[in-house]
Amino acid sequence: MRIPGSTLTAVAKGVAMQMQHSAAARPSGVVVAIRGSVVDMRFDAGLPPIHTILHTGADLGIVIEVLAQPDARHVRGIALTPTQGLARGMAVRDTGGPLLAPVGPAILSRMFDVFGNVIDRGPALADVPWRSVHQPPPALSSRSARSEVFETGIKVIDVLMPLERGGKAGLFGGAGVGKTVLLTEMIHNMVGQHAGVSIFCGIGERCREGGELYHDMKEAGVLENMVMVFGQMNEPPGARFRVGHVALTMAEYFRDDQHRDVLLLVDNIFRFIQAGMEVSGLLGQMPSRLGYQPTLGTELSGFEERIANTSSGAITSIQAVYVPADDFTDPAAVHTFSHLSASIVLSRKRASDGLYPAIDPLQSSSKMATPGIVGARHYAIAQQIRRTLAQYAELKDIIAMLGIEQLAPEDRNVVARARRLERFLTQPFFATEAFTGLKGKLVSLKDALDGCEAILRDAFHDVPEQSLYMIGAIGEAKAAPAPQPATAHAS
């Protein structure tokens, strides 16, 4: 799943295929200075514009993007490929255009790198259109002014932290709590319920994770309507910084040209900021607070604002968010949170209890959960669920020390409701059918709200709480014996 250094010529060819400009009209330059991934070049016959792609090296296999023009004859760029073998005096070829990404139906079920090369060992793309990765956000006049809920078919998300169609949701979770399974299930539901397209963008991903995810998606049967784009952590910071824009360009094609809803999964948005910080440091820019680049807000906004809901379609994004040292005042976390409309927090404690998906309902939140958007009934049920679960959390210490028998009758009723709610909010996934033997369930928002409301009214007070575990709609509670907790959901 990785591109070895010996294939730099193939990388150069992949980029060269994007360009259709006349070679005679392009100015030629020469390398004058090399500082790691930063290369200074001199052009005597006109400077290439910012974001222009340049080729240099012995076989023109080194790709550089222009990021600055220090004076009238020199440009400074960041290498998107390793610079081994590059020396002063080498010729530089101007491609005449920016970095491009392949678009079109042919890219579905394929895996790409930042240059648009396929890295899934499949056949190369033929006769596909290419577009610049540098696109402006949709104009305000073309955006949808209406806030719509994006239904995922997952009970706990749709009821307590509804996602926004065309919005951004942050996914917080460590290894082994079911993050990959949750992403896979959302992709499955997106394809089956919304007839949409899913795009996975791995920024700074390990090649092992990319390979595992590719095979997991293939086995789950969701690869046919999915595109995967990876900028691996062993690649230069310039490549990791641009891979997110490549995925966005592909998503915009399906939204604007094919009028389809797109689910864009980004793992990890912090690594995008980190790559930008590395590029800024290499270019010699004065760092701001905690060493971050002075253009942090502009770069992140330029990325996030392209994820929007328009009259033709919507790009809904779920982004894994790493919080450095668990410091939520870190500039990267602060700037990221300002763009999110929902936060989904995965709990290791719930995963160890077998409550999958292991989403912590008290730590997670959504700006969509207001009466004006989801409706008065939905809002009231969600608030009552949170209140019940919060009371149960406060009573757990007393139960651990004295036992549930020492609680007041009303408190015992609260505990019974909370435990039934916790189990009803679990759900068997299509993505884990092969491991658990349980058929996946896609639950509508109406069925999820009806079930939660019935539990809050104590309509299922006489039903064993295990009968509510790993079911779909509430009507299945008495239909079959409840399965035992399984640990195969975590990944």
Side-chain angles (χ1 to χ4, degrees), residues 48-54 64-68 97-99 132 134 242:
I50 300 295
H51 295 155
T52 299
I53 292 295
L54 309 175
I64 299 172
E65 181 181 17
V66 177
L67 292 183
L99 182 67
S132 169
H134 303 285
R242 286 294 176 224

Side-chain angles (χ1 to χ4, degrees), residues 274-291:
Q274 197 173 41
M277 179 171 59
E278 293 179 46
V279 170
S280 175
L282 289 170
L283 292 175
Q285 295 178 352
M286 182 69 70
S288 63
R289 183 176 166 223
L290 298 183

Side-chain angles (χ1 to χ4, degrees), residues 51-397:
H51 295 155
T52 299
I53 292 295
L54 309 175
H55 288 173
T56 186
D59 55 359
L60 296 180
I62 297 176
V63 184
I64 299 172
E65 181 181 17
V66 177
L67 292 183
Q69 297 174 335
D71 55 49
R73 296 181 61 187
H74 293 84
V75 297
R76 180 168 296 161
I78 190 79
L80 305 184
T81 56
T83 56
Q84 285 89 342
L86 187 61
R88 287 181 293 178
M90 284 187 170
V92 179
R93 184 172 70 88
D94 181 7
T95 62
L99 182 67
L100 303 184
V103 297
I107 69 174
L108 291 173
S109 76
R110 305 304 302 272
M111 183 188 293
F112 299 91
D113 64 6
V114 69
F115 301 109
N117 298 308
V118 291
I119 54 175
D120 54 11
R121 298 183 180 178
L125 295 179
D127 299 326
V128 295
W130 297 74
R131 289 185 181 175
S132 169
V133 302
H134 303 285
Q135 302 289 342
L140 286 176
S141 58
S142 65
R143 299 198 183 202
S144 175
R146 189 175 45 158
S147 294
E148 301 178 60
V149 173
F150 177 82
E151 286 194 33
T152 64
I154 301 173
K155 289 182 287 189
V156 63
I157 293 178
D158 291 342
V159 172
L160 295 177
M161 59 224 64
L163 304 187
E164 179 183 8
R165 182 174 179 265
K168 280 84 70 175
L171 179 62
F172 305 82
V177 295
K179 181 175 65 175
T180 303
V181 168
L182 187 59
L183 294 179
T184 308
E185 187 71 6
M186 287 187 178
I187 292 172
H188 181 281
N189 295 352
M190 177 70 179
V191 174
Q193 184 178 5
H194 297 273
V197 176
S198 299
I199 297 180
F200 185 93
C201 177
I203 304 177
E205 280 289 299
R206 302 169 183 87
C207 60
R208 172 187 60 80
E209 293 177 346
E212 290 177 353
L213 187 63
Y214 177 82
H215 293 296
D216 289 345
M217 298 300 174
K218 191 172 183 178
E219 292 176 3
V222 300
L223 199 59
E224 290 75 13
N225 286 281
M226 183 177 179
V227 184
M228 305 179 75
V229 187
F230 282 95
Q232 296 162 197
M233 62 168 47
N234 64 310
E235 296 182 24
R240 287 182 272 121
F241 185 60
R242 286 294 176 224
V243 70
H245 298 92
V246 173
L248 267 177
T249 304
M250 296 175 176
E252 287 168 341
Y253 166 82
F254 289 106
R255 179 192 66 188
D256 300 333
D257 290 43
Q258 294 205 337
H259 308 300
R260 301 174 70 178
D261 283 353
V262 182
L263 179 63
L264 176 63
L265 306 170
V266 182
D267 187 9
N268 188 301
I269 196 63
F270 173 77
R271 293 181 189 142
F272 168 77
I273 297 174
Q274 197 173 41
M277 179 171 59
E278 293 179 46
V279 170
S280 175
L282 289 170
L283 292 175
Q285 295 178 352
M286 182 69 70
S288 63
R289 183 176 166 223
L290 298 183
Y292 285 100
Q293 62 270 39
T295 54
L296 167 60
T298 303
E299 292 170 355
L300 186 61
S301 297
F303 180 87
E304 297 282 6
E305 287 304 305
R306 291 171 65 180
I307 303 171
N309 181 6
T310 68
S311 56
S312 59
I315 301 176
T316 304
S317 177
I318 300 176
Q319 306 170 4
V321 182
Y322 168 70
V323 181
D326 293 333
D327 180 13
F328 286 85
T329 64
D330 187 272
V334 171
H335 282 81
T336 302
F337 293 152
S338 65
H339 294 280
L340 300 179
S341 56
S343 299
I344 302 173
V345 181
L346 296 177
S347 165
R348 192 172 301 279
K349 175 66 169 62
R350 291 179 66 85
S352 64
D353 291 341
L355 300 175
Y356 295 104
I359 298 174
D360 190 330
L362 299 180
Q363 296 293 325
S364 306
S365 63
S366 172
K367 295 179 181 177
M368 300 291 289
T370 61
I373 298 177
V374 299
R377 175 175 178 261
H378 184 167
Y379 177 77
I381 292 174
Q383 289 297 100
Q384 195 171 353
I385 292 172
R386 290 183 182 277
R387 193 180 306 114
T388 302
L389 295 178
Q391 291 174 338
Y392 177 43
E394 294 175 354
L395 294 171
K396 282 183 178 179
D397 289 340

